[in-house]
């Protein structure tokens, strides 16, 4: 019997994918995630999201370029299955070059545990220093969030569950 492909776990080992598929098929993945992450965050408006992001940035990336905007964006999930985006826009104003950094987070993260939102924001903040997803990028993510890789995996499990059964929080 061939197991269903789990879209969000493609880069993980076949054994791990198999374990996740078994939990998903048995209906045990949702309760497991809800036990580990019982509550969703309360950062539902963009001001609270911006303040939370700036606190993370100030704790770990003080010397990085300033952020002009941090918002929830309902169009993100459509673009290459992105969960968040860091954009860098350069404009010429008079004789000066002005740069703006923005972080846009998928609106699906309005109703998830705070740890998942933090993981996405850490990922996007790391792009202020490291543009590529390389070793230095992931080292910076782990510096800002020591459980980064576990949170990313758990988030991928949640997205797999959500795709099949809908939201948990």
């Amino acid at each position: 019997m061939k197991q269903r492909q789990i879209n969000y776990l493609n880069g993980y080992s076949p054994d791990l994918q198999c374990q996740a598929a078994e939990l998903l098929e048995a209906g045990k993945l949702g309760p497991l995630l809800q036990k580990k992450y019982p509550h969703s965050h309360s950062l539902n408006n963009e001001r609270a999201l911006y303040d939370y992001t700036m606190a993370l940035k100030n704790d770990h990336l003080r010397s990085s370029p300033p952020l002009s905007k941090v918002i929830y964006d309902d169009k993100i999930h459509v673009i290459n299955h992105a969960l968040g985006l860091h954009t860098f826009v350069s404009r010429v104003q008079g004789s000066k070059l002005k740069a703006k950094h923005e972080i846009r987070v998928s609106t699906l993260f309005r109703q998830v545990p705070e740890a998942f939102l933090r993981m996405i924001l850490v990922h996007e903040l790391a792009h202020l220093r490291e543009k590529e997803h390389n070793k230095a990028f992931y080292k910076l993510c782990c510096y800002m969030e020591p459980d980064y890789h576990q949170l990313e995996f758990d988030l991928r499990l949640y997205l797999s569950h959500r795709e099949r059964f809908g939201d948990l929080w």
Side-chain angles (χ1 to χ4, degrees):
M1 182 173 98
K2 187 179 177 200
Q3 294 239 308
R4 271 178 83 170
Q5 182 73 23
I6 299 179
N7 291 334
Y8 298 97
L9 300 179
N10 291 339
Y12 292 90
S13 75
D15 289 343
L16 205 51
Q17 288 184 47
C18 185
Q19 288 176 8
E22 287 172 6
L23 286 172
L24 193 60
E25 294 297 330
K28 294 180 180 179
L29 187 56
L32 184 73
L33 289 169
Q34 284 180 314
K35 184 177 180 184
K36 191 170 183 179
Y37 306 100
H39 306 288
S40 65
H41 65 79
S42 59
L43 304 167
N44 295 322
N45 66 56
E46 290 176 355
R47 183 67 209 181
L49 180 65
Y50 179 83
D51 291 344
Y52 182 81
T53 306
M54 289 306 294
L56 275 173
K57 181 187 177 302
N58 290 337
D59 284 349
H60 303 291
L61 299 172
R62 210 168 255 165
S63 64
S64 293
L67 290 171
S68 61
K69 190 187 290 187
V70 181
I71 61 170
Y72 288 109
D73 189 335
D74 61 350
K75 294 180 181 105
I76 285 184
H77 66 281
V78 178
I79 307 167
N80 298 328
H81 299 287
L83 305 175
L85 294 173
H86 166 257
T87 57
F88 174 75
V89 179
S90 296
R91 292 190 180 99
V92 176
Q93 292 182 341
S95 62
K96 294 183 180 178
L97 185 64
K98 299 279 185 174
K100 283 185 156 186
H101 292 270
E102 299 177 357
I103 292 177
R104 296 172 182 270
V105 178
S106 173
T107 54
L108 90 92
F109 289 105
R110 280 187 195 260
Q111 299 296 319
V112 296
E114 183 261 340
F116 291 170
L117 178 65
R118 184 176 65 247
M119 191 277 308
I120 292 297
L121 292 171
V122 161
H123 182 100
E124 299 309 327
L125 284 168
H127 281 302
L128 290 173
R129 289 226 180 120
E130 295 291 333
K131 302 301 181 212
E132 302 295 322
H133 293 119
N134 54 26
K135 191 174 184 176
F137 174 84
Y138 287 108
K139 186 175 180 181
L140 181 56
C141 287
C142 290
Y143 164 74
M144 290 190 284
E145 174 50 64
D147 290 332
Y148 177 83
H149 292 294
Q150 182 64 53
L151 289 170
E152 181 182 14
F153 179 70
D154 290 349
L155 175 61
R156 289 174 178 277
L157 289 174
Y158 165 64
L159 292 172
S160 300
H161 177 277
R162 183 178 181 275
E163 183 177 77
R164 184 96 48 95
F165 301 110
D167 291 325
L168 285 174
W169 296 277

